[in-house]
Amino acid sequence: MDIQPETPWDSTPDVSARIVTAIGRIATVLRAGMWEVSTSEGLNPAQAEILHLLQHRTRGVRLSWLARQLSISAASASDSVAALVGKGLVRKARAEDDGRATALHLTPEGERVAERLGHALSFADNAASRLPPGQQVQMLTGLFKLIAELQKTDRFPELRACLSCRHFEANKYPGAEVPHHCALVDAPLPISFLRIDCAEHEPTDLVTEQRNWAIFA
C-alpha cells in the first residue's frame, strides 16, 4: 500500500488552535507591559489588576468578586487587598446594599496610580487603532462571539458588559441597521459601541443575559 507523501501543511495546527496561540502571545506581551509599569509603582501584577478593576466603580466591589475576576482564591485576593490598603491605595467601607458587608474602593492616591497604570497598555491600544475601522468592528464582534462560547464553560469571569446589563435591549428595532438599544442613555447601540466593562453596568437576570449573549453564539 502506497503511503501518500506528507505535504508541507500537514503539521499546521487547526485555525482554532492558532487563534488561541495568537491570543496567548498577545496576552504575554500585555502582561509584560503591565509588569513594567506596575513594578515602577511598587506593585505586583495582581495588585495592579485590582486597581484597574476598582477604577471608576464608585459603589465599590466585594472581595469575592475580585477573586472571581482574577481567578484566584479569596485568601490570595485578601492578601493583595491588604497590601494595597497598607500602601494607602485602597480603602474599605460598608457596602451600600448590605451594611454587614465590606466594599472596596480606591483612595484618591489609588485613583491617580490607576490612571498611570491605564497608560501601560497604550502601545497595544495604538496598534489596534491603526487597523481599518471596519476590521476593528469585525474583530470586536469575533471576540464577543468567542467570549460567548467561553462563558458556556463556566470558566470565564462575569463581565460588566452591555450584554449582561439590564439597560441593554436586544433587537429593539428588528431589521434596522442598529437593532439594539441602551435604555440608560435612551439611544440605539451599535456593535462598535458595545462595552466589555462599563461603570454604569446594572446586572440583568441570568435568562436575559444568556439570551443576549446568544446574539453572538
Side-chain angles (χ1 to χ4, degrees):
M1 178 179 179
D2 293 335
I3 299 177
Q4 294 295 323
E6 187 175 283
T7 71
W9 317 117
D10 284 349
S11 60
T12 302
D14 292 340
V15 172
S16 58
R18 281 176 281 155
I19 289 173
V20 173
T21 297
I23 292 174
R25 295 290 177 85
I26 293 171
T28 298
V29 172
L30 297 182
R31 279 196 300 270
M34 181 58 73
W35 177 275
E36 181 180 349
V37 176
S38 60
T39 300
S40 69
E41 296 285 350
L43 305 171
N44 64 36
Q47 293 166 357
E49 183 65 17
I50 287 173
L51 294 185
H52 172 71
L53 289 170
L54 291 178
Q55 193 176 23
H56 306 310
R57 287 179 166 83
T58 56
R59 297 179 183 177
V61 303
R62 306 287 180 82
L63 179 67
S64 57
W65 182 85
L66 283 178
R68 289 195 301 272
Q69 290 294 309
L70 297 172
S71 298
I72 60 177
S73 68
S76 295
S78 179
D79 289 342
S80 293
V81 168
L84 292 169
V85 171
K87 294 174 185 290
L89 304 178
V90 170
R91 64 179 178 86
K92 297 180 179 181
R94 294 296 180 188
E96 292 183 3
D97 59 343
D98 185 350
R100 299 166 299 175
T102 299
L104 304 171
H105 302 260
L106 290 181
T107 64
E109 179 59 22
E111 291 281 2
R112 287 189 284 271
V113 173
E115 185 70 24
R116 291 197 294 269
L117 290 172
H119 298 298
L121 304 181
S122 59
F123 69 94
D125 193 341
N126 292 337
S129 69
R130 288 194 290 271
L131 298 175
Q135 193 170 9
Q136 291 183 45
V137 174
Q138 194 174 39
M139 184 174 292
L140 180 63
T141 301
L143 289 172
F144 268 113
K145 289 183 177 181
L146 179 57
I147 290 172
E149 291 298 326
L150 285 171
Q151 288 195 325
K152 296 177 183 178
T153 68
D154 295 325
R155 297 176 65 90
F156 204 92
E158 63 183 84
L159 297 173
R160 292 166 60 95
C162 291
L163 299 174
S164 61
C165 180
R166 70 179 182 85
H167 299 301
F168 180 72
E169 298 177 329
N171 296 313
K172 183 174 182 178
Y173 314 108
E177 183 177 355
V178 181
H180 312 308
H181 185 266
C182 176
L184 181 65
V185 297
D186 191 24
L189 184 61
I191 297 296
S192 59
F193 280 23
L194 287 180
R195 296 185 181 185
I196 292 178
D197 187 69
C198 179
E200 285 78 34
H201 181 274
E202 294 284 350
T204 188
D205 62 89
L206 181 60
V207 173
T208 302
E209 179 180 353
Q210 290 176 337
R211 185 168 62 244
N212 290 345
W213 279 105
I215 295 170
F216 292 97

